[in-house]
Amino acid sequence: MGAPKKSAARVSVSEDHDELVRVPLQAILLADSFTTKFRPITLERPKVLLPLVNVPMINYTLTWLESAGVEEVFVFCCAHSKQVINYLEKSEWLSQPNFTVTTIESQNSVSAGDALRVIYERNVIQGDFVLISGDTVSNMSLTQALLEHKERKKKDSKAVMTMVIKRSKTNPAIHQSRLGTDEIFMAIDPNTKQLLYYEDKADYSKGTLHLENSLLADNPSLSLHHDKQDCYIDICSPEVLSLFTDNFDYQHLRRHFVKGLLVDDIMGYQIFVHEIRSDYAARIDNFRSYDTVSKDIIHRWTYPLVPDIMNIGNTATKLERQGIYRGSEISQSQSAVIGPFTVIGSGTKIGNNTKILKSVVGEGCKIGSNVLIEGCYIWDNVTIEDGCKLRHAIVCDGVIMKSGSVLEPGVVLSFKVVVGQGFVVPAYSHVSLLQQPIEEDSDEELEYADSTSAITSTVDKTDGVIASKVLDTHFIPASELGFGGVGYVWPKCEGGHEEEWRHSVAPITEDKILEAVKAMEDELELIHDGKNLPLSGELIPNSNDDSDDDDNDDSRDDFDKEVEATFLRAVHENIQENHLTLEVNSLKLSYNKIAADCAGALFYAMMKYAVDMPHSSADSLVQNVEAILTKWKKVLTSYLNDMDEQIEVILKFEEMCLESAKEYAPLFTKILHYMYNEDIIEEDAILSWEDEKKDADESDRVFVKQAQKLIQWLKEAPEEDDDEDE
Amino acid sequence: MDFQVVVLAGGVSKKLLPLVSKELPKALLPVANRPVLSYVVELLELSNLKDLIVVVEGEDAALNVGAWISGAYADRLHVEVAAVPEDVGTAGAIRAIARHLYAKDILVVSGDLVSDVPIGAVAATHRRHDAVVTALLCNAPISGPLESVSSGGKDKTKKPGRYDLIGLDPTKQFLLHIATGAEVEKDLRIQKSILRAVGQIEIRADLMDAHLYAFKRSVLLEVLEQKGAFNSLKHDVLPYLVRSQLKSEVLLNGIPQAEENGSEKVISQSNQQMLSQILANASEPTFHLRHTLNTNGSDSVRRTHKCCVYIAGSSKYCARLNSIQAYNDINRDVIGEASHLSGYSFSAHNNIIHPTAELGAKTTVGPHCMLGEGSQMGDKCSVKRSVIGRHCRIGANVKVVNSVVMNHVTIGDCCSIQGSVICSNVQLQERAILKDCQVGAGFVVTAGSECKGEVLAKKWN
């Protein structure tokens, strides 16, 4: 299946090479992140249309693609595809000269892999393309990266992808970058820039990074990075699409595709990286990166993608001193304070003594008096009544906050939620008019809710009416948000929500950091226990033997338990001796054991039973033992044909005396003698046992000493026998 | 300088049999007609390090080494020779002489190092960073004799040998990871905590640990005391220190108390400020410091220690005489590429012929050759890229190429020696042909014998 495609790809490469046909630079823009990180907001509106500093995200991506020289963009729409398509149709994007935007709709793709497979089937990609997600903000120049990619490709057709990375220090304590993304470990060849190792979703429990030795086989050096951020901008060759089609189980771009290429070494395909230094590139992956990127835009790191230049939509935004951006027709009270690095959308009204600090306020909002807004993202047409306090929250379109209500850090209010009078929304709450969907576990990665999208997709200006309507239909949720409130507070039961502070817009609190630092220290502790890293000189040589021993121990334990259970059953159910023998024999076969093991296990079971039986004194314990041994002697002796097996029994007995049944310790000789008398253990076995222990440690010889008298007697006895014979 | 130098001169290395013996321990093996130990000693002398302890394995070997040192350096250096039992390992050797160590820092050098790296620079690096250990790294040599490649003899596809895997920080000052010995062939295991703290680790397979370390004495002795199982400085002590650098278990009694208290105060003050820096993901000059400051509260100060490296420049020569191959290579280099090491002045023909040496008619001694005192050569001989020791008698029509001939060797007429090592007092009868052989001291090679890649030595009883 792969062969014809490959040859097709080659043809296109050679065309490229000859430059007979000039292939326009194409891009695939995934207008769906295939995650649920922006829920509950994304239940009602696709992520790419969420406003980022008052401009829907997809505009940043498209603007950049256009400026970077991309000529043709395929926008892949999945969740809320109608909304995305409608938006694009209304916007100017579909009518740009020299920049074609085509939408591709698919209702049943659940991952980036599916999306790329759909695009492959459409057969629209002709040459190298830029793969990007619609939530990426960048101002980097593609020229250099493209050139590098093409030159590598010319030399080696296996270089199919160039990943854009950027330096960004990850906080070692909380294992995440300022974008709120997980730490990434990468290994890169410093000379060729080939990506050799990629690990996101790091396993924190493992203190070491495991790199295969073969990575260093061809390279004299490689650099490991923890300080790089993946920008999720990839320059791909057409082979990437066919690779996704050939490997139909690839879903995730990084976790499956990149890993697959690096680990499984599929047909020798290689991935390279391009590091940008002064340019900006970041993907909005979660609420924290939403916060971070918004701030970067306001601080103009993304120039020219800044509010006063972008001017998407009909209203102009002006930049004032101290980084304050204002839309037109803002009515602001004289006593209201707007702090630095704040954006106010046009048509917004701000009341007396209200303070807005480091926040973004959308268009047409009504903010009352004595309101405090700090570090918040307030979208369009939000009504905030007098005396409200909002800190580090995201407030979606049409929300109404009744007077005196408070949002604690990290709150997300989805569309048209109403917060009741004086109600305090607890930190990190997610509130929506829609109930939290019950996870159907297979769809976890899916940001898809078309059943609900229809209801709320139309933005109505008369919020109040809708709100009251909703209020009528939903009586119960009203209580969740105080008097007059509307909306469900989503329970925090989802696995990822335990650590919401990681991904929320609220700054990370000090105690969390201290906690993390503590954890980091514990981790270091762990490493130095030597469990993860055996000391080179001390442990490594034995490690293999150890593991083998462990295996044996485990199965022996199982076997012992099984035999013991069988024995007890035999005792309680009065099973005949030969039946017990039969059962033990079958166990012996199934566990691949020898007679000595059976003898040891059986003996152990008997002695254990004896000691578990009620007994008042040592004497009665001996009596118990004698009774049991007499009764089951036949079974036991059937495994004691050989001296080795008898020695095994003695050793087992010794072990019991030392560990599991110390009560036997003083009775060792007595019971041993009894067993000798009963012909369970023969004289030779006892003597060779003693012989075996001759060189053992003092501690090991306790019982030999105890049995010294018996041994002495045994040693003397044969001589007498001999005498008699003579 | 407040440095004490310990030269680990080894004993009778098994790897170098049959070249070495109790009479001629490894330290005294001649490299360009000088004992290999003299290279290290003189290198140390250049850096004004004159207070040495030379540790030799085995009493007999120690006596021999001691005798040579007192003869050669009695007037210039203060050298003590200590004998330790054989096979105690490098760590054991230090343990054995621990009570003689008093200086703040200890420089541990392998006695088989032939190098021109300024040791003073290593010591200075150590001091500058206040490190617990500083290791000298040099470029891993390309294994395989270069000359034989050019003479078209051997396979040319030899890769640079891999000796150690070394992890460095981007500034190439700190040692963050080291895998030596058998670990080199295994998969890499990098501690994430260190990578997190530093951000970037460069893993290098083309560097070699030259077995020259500067240790903080208190730390070295403490580690050796606590970890009784540690056998080797290179394989155990150094990796241990590298591994534990962010969570130091040493230095507990090492640092003077006053200094400790002082720094603790500073730390608790800057704690608050540090926290805000973490919040802002700010970067700091050294990761050790940063890591130290990330403590929770002022009660426990996380201890870190620094493991530093000094990387020798690529123009510097650095090799260890630890195999027969290395012996050949070093001899070749010292009279060839790295001729400044030999300490001799070369003639116009780029060779050294002792004035007392006698050459027969039509005998040629090519460049990169050395002919020792009182040696005689017959007619029509040819010597290329070889070292010939003192008082050798070489007959007519003899070819010596790429070889080392030690002292008092007798070579009969028409012999041919290629790529071989001939030890002292060997007798080669006429027409013997040796290629890539090692001939042990006192051996007699019978006339006309032809050997290739063999070890010829007297049977040990």
Side-chain angles (χ1 to χ4, degrees), chain A residues 332-337 350-353:
Chain A
Q332 178 191 350
S333 153
Q334 284 292 325
S335 54
V337 178
I350 302 169
N352 297 327
N353 294 320

Side-chain angles (χ1 to χ4, degrees), chain A residues 167 169-173 175-178 183 185-186 190 199 202-204 206-214 216-228 508-510 513-514 517-518 520-521 523-525 527-529 532-538 540, chain B residues 159 162 165 170 180 183-207 227-230 234-236 239-240 243-249 272 275-276 278-283 290-291 294-297 300 302:
Chain A
R167 195 185 141 82
K169 190 81 180 79
T170 305
N171 189 324
H175 307 310
Q176 70 177 30
S177 64
R178 61 191 284 273
E183 57 182 356
F185 292 103
M186 283 191 249
E199 177 184 321
D203 183 357
Y204 302 130
K206 274 207 257 166
T208 54
L209 197 62
H210 196 107
L211 293 180
E212 275 185 47
N213 189 35
S214 57
L216 267 169
D218 310 323
N219 313 305
S221 65
L222 59 85
S223 36
L224 297 174
H225 292 277
H226 180 252
D227 56 350
K228 299 285 187 264
I508 299 165
T509 51
E510 282 190 14
I513 295 213
L514 287 180
V517 168
K518 193 95 197 296
M520 179 168 69
E521 220 154 82
E523 185 188 326
L524 280 168
E525 213 87 62
I527 290 165
H528 293 286
D529 283 348
N532 291 2
L533 267 175
L535 298 171
S536 57
E538 293 177 326
I540 285 174
Chain B
K159 278 187 184 174
R162 280 173 61 184
L165 293 181
T180 60
E183 282 177 66
V184 172
E185 298 305 323
K186 289 187 187 155
D187 289 352
L188 266 167
R189 288 176 168 278
I190 310 287
Q191 267 169 285
K192 281 183 184 168
S193 51
I194 292 182
L195 180 53
R196 280 191 193 109
V198 191
Q200 182 181 345
I201 297 181
E202 202 182 322
I203 302 287
R204 300 277 295 265
D206 55 347
L207 289 176
K227 311 278 177 182
F230 280 3
K234 179 185 167 104
H235 299 297
D236 301 322
Y240 168 75
R243 227 162 34 222
S244 61
Q245 58 185 305
L246 290 185
K247 175 94 184 166
S248 182
E249 289 163 359
Q272 204 56 35
L275 205 55
S276 60
I278 304 167
L279 289 166
N281 267 320
S283 60
R290 199 158 12 110
H291 205 82
N294 288 0
T295 64
N296 50 342
S300 76
R302 186 183 293 119

Side-chain angles (χ1 to χ4, degrees), chain A residues 12-28:
Chain A
S12 80
V13 169
S14 65
E15 277 172 0
D16 232 336
H17 188 255
D18 299 333
E19 289 181 11
L20 291 172
V21 183
R22 196 190 151 277
V23 181
L25 183 57
Q26 294 174 311
I28 295 176

Side-chain angles (χ1 to χ4, degrees), chain A residues 306-542:
Chain A
V306 289
D308 52 320
I309 295 182
M310 289 251 313
N311 276 340
I312 301 277
N314 38 17
T315 51
T317 307
K318 272 190 283 181
L319 173 64
E320 297 179 1
R321 265 187 292 177
Q322 292 187 307
I324 302 174
Y325 298 82
R326 281 170 188 276
S328 51
E329 296 162 36
I330 294 173
S331 72
Q332 178 191 350
S333 153
Q334 284 292 325
S335 54
V337 178
I338 295 177
F341 303 113
T342 297
V343 180
I344 310 286
S346 54
T348 289
K349 295 191 179 79
I350 302 169
N352 297 327
N353 294 320
T354 285
K355 268 188 174 176
I356 303 178
L357 309 168
K358 293 180 181 167
S359 299
V360 176
V361 179
E363 294 174 10
C365 294
K366 295 187 194 77
I367 300 172
S369 307
N370 298 313
V371 172
L372 172 72
I373 298 173
E374 191 184 347
C376 289
Y377 298 91
I378 295 170
W379 298 358
D380 298 342
N381 303 317
V382 172
T383 308
I384 298 173
E385 294 181 359
D386 297 351
C388 289
K389 285 191 170 54
L390 295 80
R391 318 188 67 176
H392 304 290
I394 293 180
V395 179
C396 295
D397 292 4
V399 166
I400 298 171
M401 288 189 61
K402 296 275 174 73
S403 57
S405 55
V406 175
L407 299 186
E408 287 187 346
V411 168
V412 175
L413 298 183
S414 188
F415 298 95
K416 299 191 188 74
V417 162
V418 180
V419 180
Q421 204 169 339
F423 187 79
V424 180
V425 183
Y428 306 119
S429 307
H430 290 178
V431 186
S432 171
L433 287 188
L434 304 166
Q435 263 176 317
Q436 188 161 16
I438 297 134
E439 294 295 336
E440 287 157 32
D441 60 32
S442 62
D443 285 5
E444 208 178 310
E445 301 250 304
L446 182 60
E447 179 187 285
Y448 196 65
D450 60 346
S451 59
T452 52
S453 60
I455 311 170
T456 43
S457 58
T458 50
V459 180
D460 204 307
K461 293 287 173 195
T462 54
D463 294 344
V465 179
I466 295 249
S468 59
K469 249 192 218 164
V470 175
L471 187 64
D472 289 339
T473 49
H474 300 269
F475 279 108
I476 312 120
S479 59
E480 277 191 47
L481 287 173
F483 181 72
V486 182
Y488 295 95
V489 178
W490 282 21
K492 301 168 181 179
C493 59
E494 266 179 74
H497 281 228
E498 270 169 39
E499 300 215 318
E500 308 146 308
W501 57 271
R502 284 183 180 279
H503 293 156
S504 100
V505 283
I508 299 165
T509 51
E510 282 190 14
D511 48 315
K512 289 287 180 202
I513 295 213
L514 287 180
E515 218 171 87
V517 168
K518 193 95 197 296
M520 179 168 69
E521 220 154 82
D522 294 347
E523 185 188 326
L524 280 168
E525 213 87 62
L526 203 101
I527 290 165
H528 293 286
D529 283 348
K531 278 172 193 153
N532 291 2
L533 267 175
L535 298 171
S536 57
E538 293 177 326
L539 295 174
I540 285 174
N542 302 330

